[in-house]
């Protein structure tokens, strides 16, 4: 792991602001890892806020709800930020905010709790968007250690920090609920040392949730690293944590559970850090899923100069650069960043080994650049490319600016194509 400049100061202060709703939203139906939801509304139909508009298709899939009241303009297929084809429900906002609520039910049993997560379309808000109802067990006795991931190790991002600082009571209400439903041995909130002031915020709740301080290193917030730091367990990328009695939920996900369990509101908006270089309105905002990136940045004072910027969804290390500003915010969008372009010249590898020291998965990243250059499928497998979590620590630390992440991503694609 590596030390990394945080760039967080410009958005750490203050409460979460509400971003004005856009007139038109494009709500993605692939709100999760797994199968996309399928539309259950038609063009021309009027919908209410929180109404189900996309139904989960199978177990590893998540429902999608309308973030506004208005009219369905169209159901369109377009290329998403990963270059894959995806379906969007385009909504015209009528700004009346006429809303439905989730139906109330007893959620004090694991089965009913899991059903609530499913009904509310909750997915991992840290970026992975894995359906949360699949992670939580339907039986008691399986969950021993519940870890709240408050280690927001990507530079710029402070969405989780702001939730912990300003919405700690709501987060602890969910912890109390989870303790009642699953009776885990312990609940741990894991935060980085740079945020140690939060210990005092959570001090009154120490009987139900202990706070673990983690080093300010990257990628401390990745699930495998976090589990190792908190429990000492070393899991493989393919191992499910719950098989060892461990479950990790990100702070944003926990807040989504609060809204569903205590306010009857499905996952239709989230906290997004809007930040980058020279943004007057940088801060944390409540943003409705489906809001175009252009609208988000304009609200933060960025209305021109796009040619000199990389616009990134998520953090600068693991996020994805978008090239179309009508790209919408999804349930996994933790940040919208406008970063000035700074040309970097790549040099040859000098075999310094820094990338090897930095790699949290114990890999030899420089070998992936060689394997990609030589189209060497065997070398990719020999050097365990499949274990790479694409954290970007190797490229960040490389003094020669070797484009390691590009080799890694292309290498994974190369393996997929050659195993068909
Ligand atoms: S090889 Fe993969 S896991 Fe290792 S540092 Fe690079 S991106 Fe991260
Ligand atoms: S850090 Fe860069 S220069 Fe050093 S061994 Fe790795 S790829 Fe080569």
């Amino acid at each position: 792991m590596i030390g990394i400049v945080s760039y967080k100061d410009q958005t750490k202060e203050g409460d979460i602001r509400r971003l004005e709703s856009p007139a038109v939203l494009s709500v993605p139906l692939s709100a999760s890892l797994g199968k996309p939801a399928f539309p259950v509304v038609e063009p021309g139909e009027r919908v209410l806020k929180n109404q189900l508009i996309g139904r989960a298709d199978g177990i590893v899939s998540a429902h999608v709800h309308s973030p506004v009241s208005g009219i369905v303009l169209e159901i369109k297929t377009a290329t998403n930020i990963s270059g894959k084809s995806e379906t969007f429900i385009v909504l015209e906002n009528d700004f009346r905010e006429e809303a439905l609520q989730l139906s109330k039910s007893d959620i004090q049993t694991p089965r009913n709790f899991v059903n609530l997560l499913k009904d509310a379309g909750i997915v991992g808000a840290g970026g992975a968007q894995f359906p949360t109802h699949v992670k939580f067990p339907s039986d008691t006795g399986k969950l021993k250690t519940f870890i709240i991931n408050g280690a927001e190790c990507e530079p710029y991002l402070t969405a989780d920090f702001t939730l912990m600082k300003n919405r700690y009571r709501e987060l602890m209400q969910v912890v109390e609920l989870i303790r009642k439903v699953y009776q885990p041995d312990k609940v741990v909130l894991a935060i980085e040392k740079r945020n140690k002031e939060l210990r005092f915020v959570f001090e009154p709740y120490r009987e139900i949730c202990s706070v673990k301080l983690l080093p300010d290193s990257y990628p401390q917030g990745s699930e495998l690293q976090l589990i190792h730091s908190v429990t000492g367990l070393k899991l493989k990328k393919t191992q499910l944590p719950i098989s060892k009695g461990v479950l990790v939920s990100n702070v944003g996900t926990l807040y989504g559970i609060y809204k569903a369990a205590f306010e009857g509101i499905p996952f239709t908006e989230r906290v997004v850090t809007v930040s980058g270089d020279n943004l007057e309105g940088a801060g944390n905002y409540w943003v409705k899923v489906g809001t175009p990136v252009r609208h988000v940045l304009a609200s933060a004072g960025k209305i021109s100069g796009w040619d000199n910027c990389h616009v990134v969804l998520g953090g600068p290390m693991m996020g994805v650069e978008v090239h179309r500003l009508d790209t919408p915010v999804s349930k996994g969008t933790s940040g919208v960043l406008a970063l000035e372009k700074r040309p970097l010249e790549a040099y040859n590898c000098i075999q310094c080994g820094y990338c090897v020291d930095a790699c949290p998965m114990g890999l030899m990243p420089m070998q992936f650049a060689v394997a990609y250059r030589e189209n060497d499928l065997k070398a990719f497998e020999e050097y365990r490319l499949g274990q790479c979590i694409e954290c970007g620590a190797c490229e960040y630390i490389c003094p020669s600016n070797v484009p390691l992440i590009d080799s890694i991503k292309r290498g994974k694609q190369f393996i997929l194509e050659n195993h068909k």
Side-chain angles (χ1 to χ4, degrees):
M1 291 205 281
I2 55 173
I4 197 165
V5 187
S6 85
Y7 300 107
K8 290 178 190 271
D9 288 349
Q10 57 179 334
T11 56
K12 270 183 103 173
E13 294 305 319
D15 203 344
I16 306 156
R17 286 175 267 175
R18 186 155 289 283
L19 195 91
E20 199 183 308
S21 289
V24 175
L25 300 91
S26 282
V27 182
L29 289 181
S30 302
S32 69
L33 273 180
K35 279 180 98 175
F38 56 88
V40 291
V41 287
E42 302 272 345
E45 192 174 329
R46 175 164 157 73
V47 292
L48 297 179
K49 184 175 170 175
N50 303 334
Q51 181 179 327
L52 186 77
I53 54 173
R55 187 175 293 283
D57 189 4
I59 294 171
V60 188
S61 180
H63 289 333
V64 178
H65 302 79
S66 177
V68 294
S69 59
I71 301 290
V72 178
L73 288 179
E74 62 169 322
I75 298 172
K76 68 170 187 188
T77 303
T79 307
N80 69 13
I81 50 175
S82 312
K84 293 184 185 144
S85 181
E86 181 171 1
T87 304
F88 298 84
I89 296 186
V90 183
L91 299 166
E92 185 179 44
N93 188 357
D94 65 12
F95 296 96
R96 289 195 208 151
E97 297 274 310
E98 288 173 282
L100 293 174
Q101 276 200 325
L102 294 169
S103 50
K104 279 217 163 109
S105 62
D106 170 25
I107 47 170
Q108 310 267 332
T109 67
R111 191 165 297 278
N112 290 353
F113 182 75
V114 167
N115 284 339
L116 169 86
L117 303 179
K118 193 172 177 191
D119 288 348
I122 311 276
V123 301
Q129 299 196 73
F130 191 75
T132 307
H133 67 266
V134 182
K135 284 178 88 173
F136 275 88
S138 294
D139 312 307
T140 35
K142 287 200 172 145
L143 176 55
K144 305 287 183 205
T145 306
F146 180 57
I147 304 173
I148 305 163
N149 186 356
E152 205 172 23
C153 56
E154 279 261 11
Y156 292 97
L157 302 186
T158 55
D160 289 346
F161 172 83
T162 315
L163 273 174
M164 288 187 282
K165 194 177 78 171
N166 297 294
R167 301 291 187 275
Y168 57 89
R169 289 188 196 89
E170 290 91 331
L171 295 172
M172 290 300 106
Q173 261 181 274
V174 183
V175 166
E176 277 178 348
L177 175 63
I178 288 172
R179 290 190 76 97
K180 262 191 211 148
V181 174
Y182 290 101
Q183 292 150 25
D185 295 339
K186 56 182 169 179
V187 177
V188 181
L189 169 64
I191 57 172
E192 293 148 304
K193 275 191 186 140
R194 71 173 132 244
N195 296 330
K196 58 180 181 293
E197 70 266 31
L198 290 173
R199 270 185 315 180
F200 303 108
V201 172
F202 290 98
E203 173 64 20
Y205 302 94
R206 64 182 181 283
E207 297 290 323
I208 60 164
C209 175
S210 61
V211 174
K212 169 94 178 166
L213 288 186
L214 304 172
D216 293 325
S217 52
Y218 179 85
Q220 188 64 76
S222 92
E223 189 163 279
L224 297 182
Q225 287 308 312
L226 193 75
I227 291 172
H228 182 237
S229 300
V230 174
T231 67
L233 279 171
K234 271 197 166 180
L235 299 183
K236 290 203 177 114
K237 207 178 149 197
T238 46
Q239 242 175 324
L240 279 178
I242 197 65
S243 67
K244 298 284 175 193
V246 180
L247 202 150
V248 179
S249 261
N250 155 279
V251 167
T253 312
L254 214 62
Y255 195 78
I257 299 175
Y258 166 80
K259 296 287 278 185
F262 295 98
E263 296 185 5
I265 297 175
F267 196 157
T268 54
E269 69 173 7
R270 57 158 302 138
V271 182
V272 176
T273 304
V274 184
S275 189
D277 299 311
N278 305 318
L279 271 187
E280 269 179 34
N284 285 289
Y285 292 85
W286 293 111
V287 181
K288 291 188 191 315
V289 171
T291 303
V293 164
R294 182 191 298 279
H295 181 87
V296 175
L297 286 169
S299 304
K302 180 78 187 162
I303 46 171
S304 60
W306 302 112
D307 289 351
N308 299 324
C309 276
H310 297 289
V311 176
V312 175
L313 295 193
M317 301 295 282
M318 294 184 81
V320 182
E321 181 171 2
V322 294
H323 299 285
R324 291 179 43 185
L325 296 177
D326 59 354
T327 303
V329 164
S330 73
K331 294 182 184 181
T333 306
S334 46
V336 174
L337 309 179
L339 305 170
E340 271 175 20
K341 288 182 180 167
R342 297 182 185 96
L344 276 182
E345 201 164 336
Y347 302 96
N348 290 334
C349 171
I350 53 170
Q351 300 290 323
C352 63
Y354 289 173
C355 55
V356 180
D357 295 341
C359 180
M361 301 303 289
L363 306 175
M364 298 178 73
M366 72 286 219
Q367 297 296 350
F368 300 138
V370 179
Y372 180 65
R373 206 167 49 234
E374 296 176 359
N375 284 341
D376 189 343
L377 196 60
K378 252 178 114 183
F380 277 131
E381 285 169 349
E382 188 183 330
Y383 289 106
R384 300 183 293 132
L385 179 65
Q387 287 293 312
C388 168
I389 57 171
E390 295 182 27
C391 67
C394 50
E395 186 169 304
Y396 180 89
I397 206 78
C398 176
S400 296
N401 301 325
V402 176
L404 293 167
I405 283 293
D406 196 44
S407 309
I408 286 165
K409 286 188 172 161
R410 287 170 189 265
K412 286 185 178 175
Q413 191 57 36
F414 180 67
I415 290 175
L416 274 180
E417 284 161 9
N418 285 278
H419 275 303
K420 273 180 188 166

